[in-house]
Amino acid sequence: MTLLQLDGISKSFGALTVADDITFSVSEGEALGIIGPNGAGKSTLFNLITGTIGADKGSIRFLGEDVTRVSPMQRCLSGIGRTFQIPQPFEKLTVFENLLVAGAFGQQRGEREVASECAEILVETGLIAEANKPAGSLSLLQRKRLELARALATKPKLLLLDEIAGGLTEGECAVLVETIRAVHRRGVTVIWIEHVLHALNSVVDHLLVLHFGRVLGLGAPQDMMNSQEVREIYLGMEV
Ligand SMILES: Nc1ncnc2c1ncn2[C@@H]1O[C@H](COP(=O)(O)OP(=O)(O)OP(=O)(O)O)[C@@H](O)[C@H]1O
Ligand SMILES: [Mg+2]
């Protein structure tokens, strides 16, 4: 079943076109990777999917419903969760409190239920030992984990990950990849923007390549990596 469908999504900031007639779909249970050079429009695409910026043209359907004009909050409540490229926790709140805010956001569930779900997510994301520390005191890896944990606390059906592995050591990256894999295995559909290609390709079923806001290719990771055009746009970057 199709979970997310974008049809002809376009967005410009003045003369700069950052999304140019983007069409693709994501099936339930799929893991899709998104790659593309800096400034290709990857994070903007997440902003369009989550509704923090509105599309100029085109439509977005989630779970069969047209959400193109639906608010970011309603999209989140209907099951679209995301992490931010630059972690944005509430620095003075503890790790657990950060999760509670995300878990309770607009939900009708009781406090106990939310608290127990948040505790489970802290275990799943390897943050339980940091539960009572202020988010502002965390290391980069822990911040990335908290970013993931906060997204999971909103109980997403679709999880959007924006460069969650960037800046981590090899070992730290491997641990985070295992967590993402486990989340995906328990049925969460994933779209993951990442420059760390070996991590990305060890998880995703398909790769979408963005360049100047356009879809340059979409297919099996190996086919995309072998494409001459994709290699050319990555010239000067590690493949
Ligand atoms: N709100 C905005 N107003 C004007 N320009 C913007 C805005 N948001 C993004 N841009 C521009 O749109 C282009 C795409 O930005 P975006 O952040 O989506 O790139 P990206 O592919 O995520 O890059 P990176 O790999 O560096 O994270 C960039 O040129 C950026 O400067
Ligand atoms: Mg980005």
Side-chain angles (χ1 to χ4, degrees), residues 36-224:
N38 295 114
K42 304 180 297 297
S43 297
T44 302
L45 184 58
F46 276 7
N47 293 338
L48 287 160
I49 294 170
T50 55
T52 52
I53 62 171
D56 296 336
K57 269 197 264 172
S59 69
I60 302 175
R61 296 182 77 79
F62 180 65
L63 285 167
E65 303 280 324
D66 188 338
V67 297
T68 320
R69 304 276 162 244
V70 168
S71 71
M73 177 172 174
Q74 283 306 325
R75 291 192 211 189
C76 177
L77 291 176
S78 68
I80 303 179
R82 76 171 296 177
T83 68
F84 286 88
Q85 188 167 348
I86 299 168
Q88 302 184 348
F90 297 107
E91 305 262 337
K92 291 190 176 152
L93 298 187
T94 66
V95 167
F96 190 56
E97 286 165 344
N98 265 275
L99 251 65
L100 288 178
V101 172
F105 178 67
Q107 304 272 358
Q108 299 301 320
R109 291 173 295 142
E111 273 175 42
R112 278 191 180 197
E113 193 186 341
V114 172
S116 108
E117 280 170 9
C118 289
E120 279 173 31
I121 291 167
L122 286 179
V123 173
E124 183 177 34
T125 53
L127 274 175
I128 196 72
E130 332 302 328
N132 296 319
K133 292 186 185 159
S137 71
L138 299 182
S139 69
L140 178 65
L141 173 64
Q142 290 166 341
R143 278 171 171 262
K144 298 263 180 178
R145 284 178 168 162
L146 178 55
E147 202 54 29
L148 175 61
R150 292 203 314 158
L152 290 175
T154 67
K155 293 172 81 82
K157 297 181 181 77
L158 173 65
L159 176 64
L160 308 177
L161 302 172
D162 196 349
E163 298 200 28
I164 191 117
L168 301 182
T169 66
E170 274 293 311
E172 290 173 340
C173 182
V175 175
L176 198 64
V177 164
E178 267 322 302
T179 307
I180 294 167
R181 218 194 285 271
V183 168
H184 179 230
R185 261 201 308 266
R186 69 169 163 83
V188 178
T189 305
V190 172
I191 307 181
W192 183 4
I193 295 170
E194 192 55 75
H195 287 299
V196 185
L197 297 180
H198 64 88
L200 186 66
N201 289 339
S202 71
V203 174
V204 301
D205 313 305
H206 298 103
L207 263 190
L208 183 150
V209 187
L210 265 190
H211 190 38
F212 290 123
R214 291 191 74 88
V215 177
L216 198 74
L218 172 60
Q222 208 50 52
D223 294 344
M224 289 299 106

